[in-house]
Amino acid sequence: MEKLNKEHSVKDNLKIKFIIYSIIWFLTIAALISSYFVLSANIKKVQEKNDLNTSYIEENKAEEAKAQAIYIPKVEEKKINYSLSNKVSNIAVFGLDERAEVYDGDWARADTMMIVTIDEKNSKIKLSSILRDCYVDVLEYGNIVKDKINHSFAYGASEEYDKSENPYRAYHAGALRSVKALNDNFDLNIKDYVIINFTSFKNIIDKIGGIEVNLTDEEAKEVNGAMGEFEVYGKFSKLSEGGGVKLLDGNQALAYARNRNIGGDPDRALRQRIVIQAMYKKMKFINPIQLTSVIKELMAMIKTNLTTVQIVSFATKVLFNDMLFVNTRFPVDNNWYGDIINGISYDIIDDEELNIKQIKDFIYNDILPEEIQNGETTTAPQ
């Protein structure tokens, strides 16, 4: 009789556990579905308020097609064919270092130029920095000139502003011109872009409770030294002395990412990628309701030609799938050098054909150049 009671007790416990797990599973799925629809609705509201996301592109298709058709012989000769896949999506990200919303014609350059690749084929998110001082072919007022690649944004924005005096249309014109520079010089076919003022990222970082970053002693000292500049954006805060893994708030993370005093542009680009990677890791583990709030706030900070459906689709793939995050930079260390031309410093790509091959190998074939594999230009995949 005692044995029978024990068997009944075990069965009852199993039933109770099954019911509890079923309820938890149901609530989790319901929260995810609810978050998905709330996220969709929030993104749609933001885009409806920001009508420039579609009006500029629709009104200027013919003009932009003409600009895109301008022939650049040196780049065209070095075309390398790769089979494109609908499992690999590329989005250009342009970060503006702005201290005001409107520049009245004096437009900001793209302080940060990145390519975000969502590689569903290999279940990876790839983040590629492009050195902003790369000396490349850029379209300026109908002519191809040699200049820094990040100047392309200012050229496109100022030209549109001269015509329309509409700052919001100018932002998109700058992005389209920067996309053209990336495509023409690196033989890519990017169509989508996101513009963001990276200073705004501090609000997101604070909202998710900060990010963990492993700092050197020198980096920690530099962040503390720079905090006076960022006091105008919020509370004054300093890190504990010495290096190591630190929990950075928004101001500290911004000071770390904008640090120009340790290393050159490649080091600064690396720090920016580390911040984005740390944000991605943190956002993967916050609850769906908080995530919806964070993405809603992020959407209010950006300008993009992506549709609501595309944004929700990308966000779902990136945040609700187990994808490896890999980040790197082009050109790689042994394929560029610094030079002074007419008193201005530039990053000169040594072998442009090799640079194109390395970028496209990384994006489409999931092949890292040997220099990257040796850890010279990237953090370890996480």
Side-chain angles (χ1 to χ4, degrees):
M1 190 66 167
E2 185 179 345
K3 183 178 180 181
L4 188 60
N5 287 335
K6 284 183 178 179
E7 287 178 355
H8 279 293
S9 177
V10 170
K11 288 180 180 179
D12 290 341
N13 287 336
L14 288 174
K15 285 181 181 178
I16 293 170
K17 286 182 179 180
F18 176 78
I19 292 170
I20 292 172
Y21 288 143
S22 296
I23 292 172
I24 293 172
W25 180 86
F26 175 79
L27 291 175
T28 302
I29 295 299
L32 288 174
I33 293 172
S34 173
S35 297
Y36 177 88
F37 285 109
V38 171
L39 175 59
S40 300
N42 286 334
I43 290 173
K44 191 172 182 180
K45 285 179 183 177
V46 171
Q47 288 200 321
E48 285 173 352
K49 288 180 182 178
N50 188 7
D51 58 3
L52 56 99
N53 282 338
T54 54
S55 63
Y56 175 81
I57 294 116
E58 290 301 319
E59 293 170 14
N60 292 271
K61 277 183 178 177
E63 187 175 339
E64 193 58 34
K66 188 188 297 182
Q68 294 289 350
I70 290 182
Y71 185 63
I72 305 177
K74 184 170 67 171
V75 177
E76 294 291 338
E77 289 171 0
K78 296 182 177 181
K79 288 278 184 181
I80 300 169
N81 293 322
Y82 278 71
S83 58
L84 304 182
S85 169
N86 58 6
K87 292 291 185 180
V88 178
S89 305
N90 292 312
I91 304 167
V93 177
F94 306 116
L96 305 186
D97 181 13
E98 297 180 318
R99 304 303 170 93
E101 291 185 359
V102 179
Y103 280 75
D104 295 328
D106 183 18
W107 289 90
R109 299 171 178 85
D111 194 52
T112 299
M113 299 187 78
M114 294 181 177
I115 301 169
V116 176
T117 301
I118 301 173
D119 183 355
E120 296 177 72
K121 183 171 61 176
N122 296 290
S123 193
K124 290 183 180 180
I125 301 167
K126 301 169 182 174
L127 185 61
S128 306
S129 294
I130 304 297
L131 289 182
R132 63 181 191 158
D133 290 345
C134 282
Y135 192 55
V136 297
D137 296 310
V138 176
L139 177 64
E140 178 191 12
Y141 288 101
N143 298 311
I144 297 296
V145 298
K146 278 288 189 181
D147 205 339
K148 297 182 179 183
I149 194 168
N150 74 326
H151 286 199
S152 56
F153 191 97
Y155 289 152
S158 60
E159 288 173 31
E160 171 58 33
Y161 189 80
D162 287 347
K163 290 186 296 183
S164 68
E165 295 189 358
N166 185 325
Y168 301 104
R169 290 163 64 97
Y171 278 114
H172 288 275
L176 288 170
R177 188 63 56 84
S178 296
V179 167
K180 174 176 173 57
L182 290 171
N183 288 342
D184 285 343
N185 289 283
F186 305 135
D187 190 25
L188 298 169
N189 69 327
I190 299 171
K191 297 180 179 64
D192 300 318
Y193 60 82
V194 172
I195 311 165
I196 188 164
N197 181 345
F198 273 102
T199 302
S200 302
F201 258 75
K202 73 181 187 68
N203 299 326
I204 299 297
I205 291 170
D206 285 336
K207 202 170 186 70
I208 62 177
I211 56 172
E212 288 191 342
V213 178
N214 192 4
L215 306 182
T216 65
D217 291 345
E218 190 178 10
E219 286 172 337
K221 184 177 180 181
E222 192 65 31
V223 168
N224 283 337
M227 287 311 299
E229 176 185 356
F230 295 102
E231 186 177 2
V232 296
Y233 298 123
K235 64 181 181 180
F236 184 93
S237 55
K238 281 194 172 184
L239 299 171
S240 58
E241 295 296 325
V245 177
K246 308 277 188 179
L247 179 65
L248 307 185
D249 64 23
N251 284 337
Q252 294 162 346
L254 184 60
Y256 168 77
R258 291 191 59 224
N259 180 353
R260 299 173 185 268
N261 298 325
I262 301 175
D265 191 32
D267 300 274
R268 186 168 182 262
L270 173 59
R271 285 189 284 271
Q272 291 170 349
R273 297 195 306 274
I274 289 173
V275 167
I276 293 174
Q277 181 165 334
M279 291 176 65
Y280 167 74
K281 290 174 66 177
K282 188 69 174 283
M283 289 173 71
K284 289 277 288 183
F285 294 100
I286 63 177
N287 67 68
I289 303 302
Q290 186 184 3
L291 179 61
T292 300
S293 174
V294 169
I295 294 180
K296 179 185 176 183
E297 185 164 336
L298 180 61
M299 281 301 304
M301 300 175 186
I302 71 172
K303 300 173 182 68
T304 180
N305 66 336
L306 290 166
T307 66
T308 302
V309 173
Q310 287 175 307
I311 294 169
V312 172
S313 175
F314 285 139
T316 303
K317 289 173 186 175
V318 167
L319 294 172
F320 298 123
N321 288 305
D322 187 19
M323 302 182 82
L324 189 67
F325 194 111
V326 186
N327 73 81
T328 191
R329 176 259 296 168
F330 295 102
V332 297
D333 283 343
N334 69 348
N335 196 31
W336 73 279
Y337 60 92
D339 199 4
I340 305 294
I341 301 175
N342 297 326
I344 300 174
S345 62
Y346 295 95
D347 297 335
I348 310 298
I349 301 173
D350 197 24
D351 187 332
E352 294 183 3
E353 185 173 0
L354 175 61
N355 186 58
I356 291 172
K357 183 178 186 305
Q358 289 173 329
I359 292 175
K360 298 181 82 169
D361 268 343
F362 177 60
I363 289 175
Y364 296 110
N365 292 340
D366 201 35
I367 298 173
L368 287 169
E370 185 177 343
E371 294 81 5
I372 299 176
Q373 293 177 24
N374 292 337
E376 293 182 20
T377 62
T378 185
T379 57
Q382 295 182 17

